[in-house]
Amino acid sequence: MQTNSQEYWQALRTIKAIAQKCGDEGDRIFEAFEYASALHKDQKRKSGEPYITHPVSVAEIIAREFEILDVTLLCAALLHDTVEDVPHVDLSDLRKRFGQAVADFVDGCTKIGLGHDGNSVYMTHSKILKSASRRLGVLIIKLADRLHNLRTLHYLSSAKRQKIATETLDIYAPLAAKLNIYHLKRELYNLSLMYLYPRKSKKILNHINQISNDPKIVEIRSTLEEALRKLGISAQVRSRCKGLGSYYNAQRKTLEVHNAENYVDFTIVVSSEDELLCYEALGIVNRTYPPLPRTIRDFIASPKANGYRSLHARFHHAGQNYLVKIRTPSMDTWAQYGILRRWREDKEFFREEHDDEIAEFLREIAEYQGPSTHRKELLRYTEGEEIAVYTPKGDLYFLPKESTVLDFAYRIHTQLGDHCRGGLIDGKKVSPVYPLYDGATVEILTTTEVLDVDPEYETICKTLRARAGVQKLIQRRRRFYAEKIGREIFQQIITLLGLKAENANFESMELILKKTGSKSETDLYVKLGQDVLGPEEVRRIVSEIISVERGGFLRFQSRQLAVTIGQIDRAVHKFAYCCKPYPGEDNCMALLSERGVTIHKGECTDAVTRHSIPPDRLFRVDWLLDDPWDSPIVFRITVPGVSLGRLLAKWPDTSEYEVIELAQKLDRYGHASALCLARMKSLRDAKNFFDALTRDFNVSIETYFREKSMNGDRP
């Protein structure tokens, strides 16, 4: 970048103004600016401006708009793209020149360089959030970075604009809401939605403009001011129209006028820090405009997890609903600036240790291993409507609307969630996935056994902690089953090499573990059972080691390896949609993965042609037909293209099942399909039922579940 260019001098003036506000430490900001300018000197933005204008703008947003004058954070903001965009610079260079804290901030902001696929983006978000759980400044820099990118988004291609705007809606705007930075959240939503829905945004902005000039708003504000004045309460009354974000339904991906719960909020800020004045003001508001039933919320006595405090009341007037928020001046400052306010008061507050609730949330969302869609959904829930739920002792917890008993159990303690078998609400026993209502008192019922979770629980639960807990329990089950399968496969390999299966634990096992990169025998079996290690690779390693030990070549009998299946578990066993096999069907094969076992018909070519699975990784299924099931299993079955009457005419005449439900549905062309919910007690019962049914019809298993895992009342 030419130091005599207009852009350079403008950037320098900005840095000078920031440095002056930082006092004696301002020289460090000049040093960071000069260093970043030199590194970015040959780079330009899509607008044609020198690249250094971007990090300077990020630092300016932090200093002027966020009002944070932390020199370390501002230096990191100026340097946040250096490691990512300048090949010859690494973190050690920054550490030597600017210190460990600056290097840590920059490291947290640096993308993982694995390309531009979905997985690398997911991992980058995980890294940012994990770093922010230790140093919140990482997230502050990323939010300022995203805000400036959105303000200059018009220079990019349409595809990139769509991508950045979508990512902002899914990740950054909800995070700004979680930190309670109101003005930032509002602008992130407004800018993103205007790029994603330009026509609808224009229409809704016109709607917002009309509302802001509505005489009814002036009338309500004046009425509230007069009512407060008459009873001697000095307060400021403000009205505020909702931004575009309130009109956006993230679940349906729609931007519509009717999506907003209400169009205008009123804020009453009493003149002193006396909290009792807020309650007096609430009484006056309720007498002036009677509240809607069950809408008064006391966030002063019970603050939100992010520190937000106010009294809320909703009322209906002249055909519209309105929300009134009542607070003290300090509460009002927090409501607008959130976590930034505490940073201003104490620069060191978020340097090493910060609010446990925020840190734990960021760490949990970073470590969550579910699909990216689930992570986005969980972030969305954090800013949605909440319900208040009580323990029998009267302890209050806030949860996202439609949370379940299991969400509540995990919110109290992880162990309580792991052992939850249901709840007691108003003397009624309910299942772990029973939805809670606002004001409910819930007693968690536990068992000594670990919860037998169904995979469906993960999508039913609304909180991060519950979903992560369910996911860990499912992964534990899958790992346990993978170890069992891997042990079987290993023993078959040993047998086919002419060795005795009971001699699998021979002295050379340590060498086998080393060659396969396994920490223990259990680790080796799990890798085999999850197809991380292929049987052919293990056979070759074992053969080489034993051949050297015995001084001779081991002959391997070529035979397809098998896995045995008796108990079936939806968290582990999946019946492939391509060929639609069923439990106990003859001539089936299995594919192994970290997500469990997928069963195909033996003649199915999908695994080989589409997924290029080598023959040694296709396993014969040996069904253990005489092993009883621990509990009955309910199958949801579809018989496509068949009417209910035709199905009943050839219904299997056996007593080995119980029909729970029979129904018929029509597609949009009027073609009928029969639906069935049937309960079976053993694998042999299931085989006999499906053998008989598939003689005349094509049958598809939509899903199945163990009956005991779904007991109690369900939504």
Side-chain angles (χ1 to χ4, degrees), residues 634-649:
V634 177
F635 291 89
R636 185 176 293 126
I637 305 159
T638 299
V639 186
V642 176
S643 67
L644 188 57
R646 185 181 163 205
L647 177 66
L648 290 173

Side-chain angles (χ1 to χ4, degrees), residues 22 82 89 142 146 292 366 492 523 535:
C22 293
T82 54
V89 175
K142 288 301 296 183
R146 179 49 54 106
L292 294 170
Q492 290 176 68
D523 189 36

